[in-house]
């Protein structure tokens, strides 16, 4: 599939959106930016809520694909998650259907399968067909988003790559993150692969770098043409010295979702 030229990037003011709006243009994309908040230095960005169906339809009009990062990225009340992540993602897909947009890259999350026990020792890597085991209302909304993507492929022919993102930051900040970290550079490489791979239908992939301590199977991401270049192990000595190794007996360390399973961080807005 040739690289789409114009891509709508939702959630462009967020942490991951800020990273991607700086990195994706190098792959030849003309980004159209959307966020509920104004984006400093981007006077042409669209400021709109995902509940604004008219604004969403105008935002997707004429684009070749959508990278959908918008929504609440931590735990929140069900009502807030429902509005932003569940209804908002539905509104995005409806706008894409109405305007004939054929490809979406959906920011899912490892928290869609957060209660999956993490691999220990010689345990196999977590597969992409692991059943949904959300650890929060946030994770539940990502499970919904993956099922919605499958429905819109089966019913309407809109292709989606659902990326179960680990943690995309400049560097990992915890021992757990050594296993799920995705460098910003690898994040851009994965999104580019997801935008350009042919005939993806609805494909679920895990989003991380090629970490030495990897917990999940990256084969479906590699099948798209993703070639991760980074590894979190360069940060391991410092983090382990500060925090110690993970303890399987600690409830915070027992599952893929980490402390989201026990005491999740709460959306501040």
């Amino acid at each position: 599939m040739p690289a789409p030229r114009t891509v709508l990037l939702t959630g462009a003011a967020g942490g991951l959106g800020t990273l991607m709006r700086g990195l994706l243009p190098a792959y030849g994309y003309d980004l159209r930016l959307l966020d509920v908040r104004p984006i400093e230095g981007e006077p042409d960005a669209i400021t709109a809520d995902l509940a604004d169906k008219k604004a969403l339809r105008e935002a997707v009009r004429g684009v070749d694909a959508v990278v959908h990062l918008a929504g609440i990225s931590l735990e929140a009340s069900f009502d807030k998650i429902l509005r932003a992540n569940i209804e908002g993602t539905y509104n995005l897909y409806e706008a894409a259907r109405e305007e004939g947009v054929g490809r979406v890259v959906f920011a899912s999350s490892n928290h869609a399968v957060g209660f999956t026990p993490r691999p220990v020792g010689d345990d196999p890597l977590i597969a992409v067909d692991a059943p949904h085991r959300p650890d929060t209302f946030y994770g539940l909304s990502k499970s919904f988003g993956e099922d919605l993507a499958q429905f819109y492929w089966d019913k309407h022919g809109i292709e989606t790559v659902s990326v179960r993102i680990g943690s995309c930051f400049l560097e990992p900040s915890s021992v757990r993150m050594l296993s799920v970290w995705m460098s910003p550079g690898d994040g851009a490489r994965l999104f580019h692969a997801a935008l350009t791979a042919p005939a993806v239908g609805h494909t679920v992939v895990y989003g991380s770098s090629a970490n030495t301590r990897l917990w999940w199977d990256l084969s479906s991401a590699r099948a798209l043409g993703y070639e991760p270049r980074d590894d979190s192990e360069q940060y391991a000595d410092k983090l382990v010295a500060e925090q110690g190794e993970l303890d399987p007996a600690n409830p915070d360390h027992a599952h893929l979702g980490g402390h989201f399973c026990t005491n999740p961080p709460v959306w501040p807005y």
Side-chain angles (χ1 to χ4, degrees):
M1 179 178 175
R5 182 173 184 274
T6 304
V7 173
L8 175 66
L9 179 67
T10 73
L16 182 56
T18 297
L19 291 169
M20 291 305 110
R21 74 174 195 257
L23 292 168
L24 286 176
Y27 290 87
Y29 299 111
D30 179 13
L31 297 181
R32 184 180 297 175
L33 308 178
L34 181 145
D35 201 282
V36 70
R37 296 175 291 168
I39 304 172
E40 186 175 354
E42 299 285 356
D44 295 329
I46 301 163
T47 303
D49 191 283
L50 293 175
D52 189 337
K53 296 179 182 181
K54 180 180 178 182
L56 274 183
R57 186 161 181 178
E58 291 174 353
V60 303
R61 186 168 296 145
V63 305
D64 300 304
V66 178
V67 175
H68 182 44
L69 308 182
I72 291 172
S73 59
L74 301 172
E75 183 61 314
S77 69
F78 182 76
D79 286 345
K80 289 181 179 179
I81 292 289
L82 175 65
R83 184 174 184 273
N85 291 16
I86 295 177
E87 293 178 352
T89 300
Y90 162 75
N91 291 340
L92 184 280
Y93 270 90
E94 270 297 281
R97 181 188 65 79
E98 290 168 341
E99 293 298 327
V101 179
R103 177 71 62 95
V104 176
V105 179
F106 169 60
S108 185
S109 170
N110 69 98
H111 298 292
V113 289
F115 267 113
T116 303
R118 70 172 179 88
V120 178
D122 295 330
D123 289 349
L125 296 175
I126 299 171
V128 291
D129 61 358
H132 287 160
R133 296 185 67 174
D135 53 26
T136 44
F137 290 136
Y138 164 68
L140 184 66
S141 74
K142 296 304 182 179
S143 298
F144 169 84
E146 291 183 10
D147 288 343
L148 188 75
Q150 183 68 53
F151 172 75
Y152 271 81
W153 163 241
D154 291 335
K155 184 77 170 179
H156 302 297
I158 296 176
E159 294 190 302
T160 297
V161 177
S162 292
V163 183
R164 288 179 182 165
I165 298 168
S167 301
C168 189
F169 300 103
L170 294 177
E171 60 182 66
S173 59
S174 70
V175 174
R176 173 187 175 274
M177 206 180 292
L178 294 170
S179 298
V180 301
W181 177 69
M182 181 166 64
S183 71
D186 279 344
R189 282 183 275 275
L190 179 51
F191 287 133
H192 174 59
L195 286 166
T196 56
V200 299
H202 176 228
T203 297
V204 178
V205 305
Y206 287 108
S208 72
S209 292
N211 302 317
T212 297
R213 302 173 185 233
L214 194 66
W215 286 345
W216 50 47
D217 184 358
L218 288 177
S219 60
S220 63
R222 293 181 184 275
L224 300 177
Y226 173 52
E227 297 181 3
R229 299 180 186 175
D230 298 317
D231 184 345
S232 64
E233 198 63 18
Q234 62 183 305
Y235 305 102
D237 287 348
K238 177 177 181 292
L239 289 171
V240 171
E242 293 172 350
Q243 302 172 16
E245 293 282 7
L246 297 181
D247 177 4
N250 184 335
D252 285 352
H253 300 167
H255 301 96
L256 174 59
H259 67 288
F260 272 65
C261 297
T262 55
N263 185 29
V266 176
W267 187 248
Y269 304 108

